[in-house]
Amino acid sequence: MKKHDNLIAGQWVSHGNYQENRNPSDISDVIGLYSYGDAAAVDDAVAAAREALPAWAAATPQARHDVLEKTGRTLAERAEEIGRLLSREEGKTLAEGIGETMRAAQVFKFFAGEALRQAGELTPSVRPEIDVEITREPVGVVGLITPWNFPIAIPAWKTAPALAYGNCVVLKPADLTPGCAHVIAEILQESGCPDGVFNLVMGRGSTVGEAIVTHPGVDAVSFTGSAATGQHIAETCGRLRKKVQLEMGGKNPMVVLDDADLPTAVSGCLNGTFFSTGQRCTASSRLIVTEGIHDAFVEELAKQMLALKVGDALDPATQIGPVVDGKQLQSNLDYVELARQEAHEVIGGERLSLGKQGFYQAPALFLGTSNDMRINREEIFGPCGSIIKASGYEEALAVANDTEFGLSAGICTTSLKAARDFRRRAEAGMVMVNLPTAGVDYHVPFGGRKASSFGPREQGRYAAEFYTTVKTSYVFAG
Ligand SMILES: NC(=O)C1=CN([C@@H]2O[C@H](COP(=O)(O)OP(=O)(O)OC[C@H]3O[C@@H](n4cnc5c(N)ncnc54)[C@H](OP(=O)(O)O)[C@@H]3O)[C@@H](O)[C@H]2O)C=CC1
Ligand SMILES: O=C(O)CCC(=O)C(=O)O
């Protein structure tokens, strides 16, 4: 069985403690052994990053561009093979795994371009004979802590801007999915990334993650994961005065109005609620449907949901892969049990065996629910959606906004007036019209409001807000 080590100062370093990475489609399939680091490994990684920082921060835009462009190109060339690894370790379908790898490739290429496009501002002072120059500098050493549900795209969309803007990185991927992050480390190294600029330390959040967040040599932390862990990291970073960026959960509403095109609404909700096994922070978990279309919509969505093929992620016929692990599956099943008490009716949601040792669950639809129920307030993170009936647009909008989260919000309608109003009044960082709430572009800002996000936006040019710090210089030319 192949052993995978951590990358520190350009060397592959074993910290012993090899942990098995198993395939959630069939846990008898061991993907590899991954060496889990500890606080001492984080010390070494941070020291390497700090040593590499002055040269990388001063590197030419061309040098940074070339590393990122080659990394993106290699990811794209190897998308099939890496997508397969992704599907084996996370459980996404092969098409989704390859698609996510391509997205990571595009992210690296986008930020290769951004490395060349950095600019400042020159402006006259309010005083005579003085010029004012505004420039951006790297933040320093950045700690990146990533979740299991997008095991290559999220490490990519944190690492690529960090490096493009001249920072050095220590990345800790999720315990369940170290393989894709290891591939990014391998490719960055093959692409000429200088020693110490990018460091990988695999391991548990409670040890490696905590050590990164509390390390005095780490200047900023970017995290994606649960709201509880995010809150803890924000409190620690606040105390230590570190820059912090958090992407956390969602309880995303999709409003379906009477005038919606039924096939568009059903296919958008099917995708947004159940694809990627519902394991997306942007998943549509609350489907808010107005009275006139309610029955036809529910009938068609339930029919299409029941026809979805759940199975091994690598089987080309599979539409819904397994849940990521036994703990997440049990949590989903507990929510289905809760829905049996709270909702009027539950369709699907049962555990499936499929003759394999995998974590399979049938997609679930909860009918006749209200927005105050726990199933509609807490993030489930599984293939489950609730139907909430609304009397009309205004009530649907109020229900959509009545949540502690604010990541993505969608509406299906043929009314330009309603779509326009929803775009303005939805309390979310991203709004979708006649599109699923999940599935975003790689070149524009990503993030939300309220409990979903904290700090500057990720992705696109807006990523510069987090990964740089602004300097204002005054020059007296008299
Ligand atoms: N918004 C999103 O995209 C995601 C949301 N979630 C939500 O979170 C729930 C639980 O999933 P889970 O994976 O446990 O999420 P976590 O928030 O625990 O994990 C996310 C990342 O943070 C790390 N971590 C955990 N504790 C700490 C800590 N104290 N300090 C620093 N880093 C830490 C984890 O490490 P480790 O390797 O030990 O897990 C992982 O790398 C899901 O059911 C879902 O609701 C989960 C994933 C993504
Ligand atoms: O919906 C998407 O495309 C991205 C979702 C995401 O980033 C997440 O679930 O963490």
Side-chain angles (χ1 to χ4, degrees), residues 389-439:
K389 199 190 262 191
S391 58
Y393 172 68
E394 284 297 333
E395 187 188 333
L397 175 70
V399 171
N401 285 338
D402 178 14
T403 167
E404 68 167 304
F405 296 105
L407 188 57
S408 183
I411 188 165
C412 289
T413 178
T414 50
S415 156
L416 183 58
K417 187 163 178 263
R420 182 171 183 268
D421 189 76
F422 189 79
R423 284 176 56 204
R424 291 183 179 193
R425 291 166 68 202
E427 294 168 6
M430 297 174 291
V431 178
M432 310 288 182
V433 177
N434 294 323
L435 284 168
T437 54

Side-chain angles (χ1 to χ4, degrees), residues 109-131:
K109 288 183 176 191
F110 175 85
F111 282 105
E114 283 305 285
L116 297 175
R117 278 191 285 270
Q118 288 169 59
E121 283 176 62
L122 189 62
T123 186
S125 167
V126 291
R127 291 169 283 164
E129 303 294 328
I130 292 176
D131 286 333

